[in-house]
Amino acid sequence: MTFRSAPTVFVIDDDVEVRMSIQGLLKSTGLHSEAFATAEEFLTNMVSDGPSCLVLDVSLPGVDGLELQRKLAEARVHIPIIFITGHGDIPMSVKAMKTGAVEFLTKPFIDEDLLNAIQQAFNRDRVTRHQRDELAELRKRYESLTMRERQVMVLVVSGMLNKQVAFELGTSEITVKIQRGHVMAKMKAESLAELVRMAAKLELPISKK
């Protein structure tokens, strides 16, 4: 997969008239889109680096919509999905929504419903990207810590006082105080509470003392 920054709506439907109709609607509202007839074609040519979403027909030749949703999840490709179908049923829609779909629309759907769903999908994608970038930055900061600073961080956020950390690590309290200061500075944490939240986001193995 290659990338670019323009917000994009990917449309996958084996009916060329449906693809053209949806793309026409999106173009009329100023939205960029790319259309594919099959899931395999999409997986080969997907291009996105900005907010994006997928308008996906459930019934496709080869890999169907629900299977594509599963494949994307397994590959950790987090793109919001709006399912469309000409013969959806309740169990199918429930399965799609439980596995993260934004909406499940039955053809023929109202244009406004699709556009609203796309806006919701873009908003969800922006939030996901922001959270992913934030986590990447936290990991970068954590990786800048020395091994001993990481040990101090884990013990401090577990609720231990400096003297307890010193006893645990077999060092002096003043040394722990200095190392704790390094941790706070490198992690850019302004308080212990903020450092605790950072540790939770990083999923550090913290035990409550």
Side-chain angles (χ1 to χ4, degrees):
M1 297 182 184
T2 54
F3 300 90
R4 72 161 162 237
S5 59
T8 304
V9 180
F10 297 105
V11 181
I12 308 179
D13 197 302
D14 59 330
D15 188 326
V16 63
E17 292 186 3
V18 172
R19 295 198 304 271
M20 291 178 63
S21 175
I22 293 175
Q23 284 197 288
L25 171 65
L26 299 177
K27 185 176 181 180
S28 71
T29 60
L31 290 173
H32 174 74
S33 66
E34 294 188 15
F36 307 92
T38 65
E40 292 85 350
E41 184 183 352
F42 166 74
L43 290 172
T44 301
N45 298 284
M46 176 184 172
V47 181
S48 178
D49 191 30
S52 58
C53 69
L54 177 57
V55 177
L56 176 61
D57 188 20
V58 173
S59 301
L60 293 169
V63 176
D64 66 21
L66 293 176
E67 177 68 8
L68 176 59
Q69 182 187 37
R70 186 185 65 79
K71 286 180 176 292
L72 291 173
E74 289 178 349
R76 296 187 178 181
V77 176
H78 303 294
I79 180 170
I81 298 175
I82 300 161
F83 280 106
I84 57 175
T85 180
H87 48 78
D89 55 28
I90 293 177
M92 185 185 295
S93 62
V94 169
K95 180 178 180 180
M97 299 300 284
K98 279 187 175 181
T99 47
V102 175
E103 186 59 273
F104 193 98
L105 301 176
T106 302
K107 303 174 186 175
F109 45 79
I110 299 172
D111 289 351
E112 194 65 26
D113 289 344
L114 177 60
L115 293 175
N116 287 339
I118 288 173
Q119 188 58 54
Q120 292 178 39
F122 277 155
N123 291 339
R124 180 184 294 186
D125 193 51
R126 289 188 183 94
V127 170
T128 299
R129 288 169 182 270
H130 174 74
Q131 293 173 337
R132 185 171 64 239
D133 291 345
E134 182 182 57
L135 182 57
E137 174 60 25
L138 282 180
R139 284 175 176 159
K140 183 178 179 181
R141 296 177 193 173
Y142 181 72
E143 289 168 2
S144 73
L145 302 179
T146 65
M147 184 59 67
R148 179 47 62 92
E149 287 167 351
R150 294 181 189 182
Q151 293 173 332
V152 169
M153 177 176 173
V154 168
L155 295 175
V156 166
V157 300
S158 295
M160 296 177 67
L161 301 175
N162 288 349
K163 62 181 180 180
Q164 295 172 312
V165 175
F167 178 79
E168 184 80 14
L169 298 178
T171 187
S172 68
E173 186 174 346
I174 186 64
T175 297
V176 169
K177 185 176 180 180
I178 293 171
Q179 292 169 335
R180 179 171 176 165
H182 291 166
V183 170
M184 298 294 286
K186 290 181 179 180
M187 293 302 296
K188 298 182 180 180
E190 297 183 359
S191 67
L192 175 58
E194 185 176 5
L195 189 66
V196 170
R197 288 192 291 271
M198 290 178 176
K201 290 179 180 178
L202 290 167
E203 298 182 341
L204 299 185
I206 300 167
S207 60
K208 298 299 181 182
K209 298 293 183 180

